Amino acid sequence: MGQQEFQAIVLAAGKGTRLPEILEGRPKCLLPIGPYPMIWYPLQLLQRHGFTEVIVIVQESEKSEIQQRLERLQLKLKLDYYSIPTDSECGTADSLRLVSDKIKCDVVVLSCDSVIEVNLYQLLSKFREQDASIQMLLMEGGKDQDVVVPGPKSKYKAEKDIIGYDKTTNKVLFMASASDFEETVKLSGHLLRENPELNISSYLLDAHVYIMKKWVVEYLAVSETLSAVKGELLPHIVKKQMLQPPAVPENDGTSEYTAKPKVDDIFQVSVLYCCCSRCAFRDSSYYFFQFAIYTEMDKKIDKASIFNKEKKATSHPIRCYAFFADSNAFGLRVNNVRSFLQCNLSIFEIFPALTGFTERELVSQTSSIKSTQITKCAVGDMTTISEKTSLNQNVIANGCTIQPKTRINNSVLMDGVTIEENVVIDNCIVGEKAVIKSGSILRNCLIGPHFVVAVDTKKESVYLSNADGFMTID
């Protein structure tokens, strides 16, 4: 189904503005989650559900590094890379606009930072059943609330979305960010009157998994004011459900009809049909800018279809729905330090359900592990762990070296980290190619890439980095 009916797109051009302490210029999508880079999880999810080709959108300056890393993972996917200029301010909708001419059918759009446990077949089947324009995956939020964030202590304010949906049909009727409001959320009287089953929630996680009709991307291609999928495109289309679309006359096969061009109107088309002998498209009933139109024939199909469960009175060319994942399913968007650490500390329990692999896949066969005191650890390629080390619930990425007489708990070590003898590390994130010198004791610390922690350093709840000017964003 995935190969024939849907195209897949993974958005991986984000700059990781909420992760400056641990990125410092590295591609966000290559951050380690367990022994694999973050982008591997949505790609592996697509592969398990029958997709064979995926469009991957990246920054131009990161394309080569991302491509080389993914090639080493031996995914059975054909990856088509499209890049955006590194110095541009492209949002997620801008990224989709970049590949709009490559879209030939309905699309599945995932973010590279979505680490989720979901059955895509159910999502796609529901999309078809409801004849949805857009379907979004919603999950239970707050799965990262209990983690202690390394670095300087700061007041944590969780990002929350306010999502309104019909309790009976799961149609999405309202979308906004909680940060857009000060104390109260104002809803229109018309929305409340027309939707008596409206339910408003601020505890749902938008997993950034969207199923879209082909016309949505086509509409986006000519609507250049929309820059972000979540913050602009989705709320815009959700609101359009409240408007009454203009009637579209049926083509009787003998007349010529040309609508007044207005390409940024979601209900408008440039040419509906043309039966003149001069027209190169005379065999097509509809062509050019065909967005959300709804004909008398569509109404008859809706009435007769066994798939459309909506009442006839609520039929509309735009239909935005939510799909609610099981409350026990794991789902995080890894877009800040808190969720990054929580996802890594949870990987040992969720890995089989998340990937279909066994826990043995969390430890690379190319690494040398001599310690006998290892519990719940993920280890990447070419890592060396000496004897007389005690490791509990850690993610240790590729090419790391851990010398004897060390204790490491509840921490993440990125690629190329060196830990010398007699070191204690507890609840820390250690950046790429950092070196922790012997005798150091670090608790609840963030260590930036390439930073060298001096011999016998004793630190707690600090951020140590070579870079200047970074602001900690939790």
Side-chain angles (χ1 to χ4, degrees):
M1 178 171 61
Q3 182 180 11
Q4 297 176 357
E5 294 187 47
F6 297 91
Q7 286 178 266
I9 302 173
V10 172
L11 304 177
K15 297 181 179 180
T17 55
R18 298 183 182 91
L19 291 158
E21 306 95 333
I22 57 179
L23 280 177
E24 294 190 10
R26 290 294 312 282
K28 170 187 172 182
C29 68
L30 296 185
L31 283 175
I33 301 296
Y36 297 96
M38 183 162 59
I39 191 175
W40 179 83
Y41 290 88
L43 290 174
Q44 201 265 351
L45 176 70
L46 290 167
Q47 179 176 287
R48 284 193 295 127
H49 286 85
F51 287 86
T52 58
E53 299 182 8
V54 181
I55 294 173
V56 182
I57 303 177
V58 299
Q59 291 185 43
E60 178 61 41
S61 62
E62 299 175 348
K63 178 180 177 180
S64 177
E65 183 177 359
I66 294 170
Q67 189 170 0
Q68 291 177 19
R69 183 72 178 95
L70 290 178
E71 285 175 354
R72 295 199 297 269
L73 295 176
Q74 299 180 339
L75 287 163
K76 299 175 183 178
L77 291 169
K78 178 185 176 183
L79 302 180
D80 296 321
Y81 294 91
Y82 293 87
S83 57
I84 62 174
T86 301
D87 57 354
S88 66
E89 295 297 328
C90 283
T92 48
D94 297 317
S95 296
L96 281 182
R97 190 177 295 113
L98 172 72
V99 297
S100 58
D101 61 334
K102 309 296 181 183
I103 302 305
K104 309 303 180 185
C105 56
D106 298 340
V107 296
V108 181
V109 181
L110 297 91
S111 174
C112 72
D113 60 13
S114 294
V115 182
I116 54 173
E117 176 191 345
V118 67
N119 185 332
L120 278 184
Y121 292 134
Q122 294 179 353
L123 218 69
L124 299 173
S125 295
K126 205 67 176 178
F127 176 83
R128 285 290 185 240
E129 177 184 298
Q130 296 171 319
D131 193 23
S133 305
I134 294 178
Q135 185 157 266
M136 57 189 296
L137 174 64
L138 297 180
M139 310 193 76
E140 181 181 328
K143 295 185 183 296
D144 59 351
Q145 299 301 300
D146 297 332
V147 68
V148 177
V149 179
K153 294 181 180 179
S154 60
K155 188 176 181 180
Y156 174 64
K157 184 178 181 180
E159 295 180 30
K160 290 187 176 182
D161 300 314
I162 299 176
I163 299 174
Y165 60 93
D166 187 286
K167 290 188 290 185
T168 302
T169 64
N170 291 341
K171 176 177 279 190
V172 179
L173 302 167
F174 180 82
M175 281 191 67
S177 172
S179 60
D180 295 337
F181 305 93
E182 294 183 2
E183 295 182 356
T184 60
V185 178
K186 295 182 179 180
L187 302 175
S188 71
H190 174 74
L191 177 65
L192 296 172
R193 287 191 300 271
E194 293 295 316
N195 302 280
E197 295 295 314
L198 176 66
N199 188 59
I200 299 289
S201 174
S202 61
Y203 295 98
L204 292 168
L205 171 72
D206 177 0
H208 278 218
V209 176
Y210 309 117
I211 320 294
M212 298 181 181
K213 281 284 183 65
K214 179 174 178 282
W215 70 257
V216 175
V217 182
E218 292 174 338
Y219 171 67
L220 181 61
V222 298
S223 304
E224 297 182 357
T225 59
L226 301 173
S227 182
V229 171
K230 175 181 174 181
E232 296 175 11
L233 175 64
L234 293 183
H236 175 74
I237 294 185
V238 166
K239 288 180 181 178
K240 292 292 184 179
Q241 292 178 118
M242 309 303 143
L243 300 180
Q244 186 62 36
V248 178
E250 293 294 324
N251 182 0
D252 59 9
T254 61
S255 61
E256 178 179 335
Y257 176 83
T258 303
K260 183 179 179 180
K262 188 179 179 183
V263 298
D264 60 348
D265 185 339
I266 201 167
F267 294 119
Q268 186 66 65
V269 293
S270 287
V271 180
L272 290 177
Y273 48 74
C274 182
C275 295
C276 65
S277 60
R278 302 183 303 276
C279 181
F281 303 98
R282 60 182 179 272
D283 294 329
S284 300
S285 297
Y286 299 95
Y287 49 93
F288 283 9
F289 298 106
Q290 180 182 348
F291 304 136
I293 63 172
Y294 199 62
T295 67
E296 290 299 323
M297 180 60 70
D298 291 319
K299 293 180 181 179
K300 294 176 183 178
I301 293 173
D302 277 344
K303 186 177 180 181
S305 175
I306 62 172
F307 293 106
N308 181 21
K309 293 185 177 181
E310 283 197 288
K311 296 178 181 179
K312 182 181 178 182
T314 61
S315 294
H316 194 278
I318 302 177
R319 301 172 182 175
C320 302
Y321 286 95
F323 182 92
F324 293 91
D326 187 276
S327 60
N328 295 320
F330 182 85
L332 274 180
R333 287 204 57 231
V334 185
N335 60 357
N336 57 38
V337 175
R338 179 181 292 270
S339 57
F340 172 72
L341 182 58
Q342 178 62 47
C343 196
N344 274 295
L345 296 183
S346 303
I347 197 69
F348 317 104
E349 286 76 22
I350 65 172
F351 190 73
L354 199 64
T355 65
F357 293 164
T358 66
E359 290 185 22
R360 289 182 296 178
E361 300 289 337
L362 285 170
V363 178
S364 172
Q365 299 301 309
T366 65
S367 289
S368 173
I369 303 174
K370 297 181 179 180
S371 173
T372 58
Q373 300 181 58
I374 295 182
T375 306
K376 291 185 178 180
C377 283
V379 182
D381 295 332
M382 306 305 292
T383 282
T384 299
I385 301 176
S386 301
E387 59 185 356
K388 298 180 182 179
T389 55
S390 176
L391 309 176
N392 179 53
Q393 198 163 350
N394 303 295
V395 168
I396 302 168
N398 307 296
C400 294
T401 299
I402 301 176
Q403 296 181 7
K405 300 178 182 178
T406 60
R407 297 201 316 269
I408 307 176
N409 300 306
N410 302 314
S411 297
V412 178
L413 278 57
M414 298 197 203
D415 292 349
V417 169
T418 298
I419 309 294
E420 294 188 355
E421 292 187 356
N422 294 302
V423 168
V424 176
I425 297 176
D426 186 40
N427 199 62
C428 295
I429 298 176
V430 184
E432 180 181 278
K433 295 182 180 179
V435 178
I436 314 297
K437 293 287 188 177
S438 61
S440 296
I441 300 176
L442 305 174
R443 302 185 192 280
N444 301 323
C445 292
L446 273 173
I447 313 300
H450 301 275
F451 188 83
V452 178
V453 178
V455 173
D456 293 330
T457 295
K458 309 292 189 295
K459 294 290 184 181
E460 184 170 352
S461 301
V462 297
Y463 170 42
L464 303 174
S465 173
N466 296 316
D468 295 324
F470 279 121
M471 179 185 298
T472 300
I473 304 176
D474 189 34

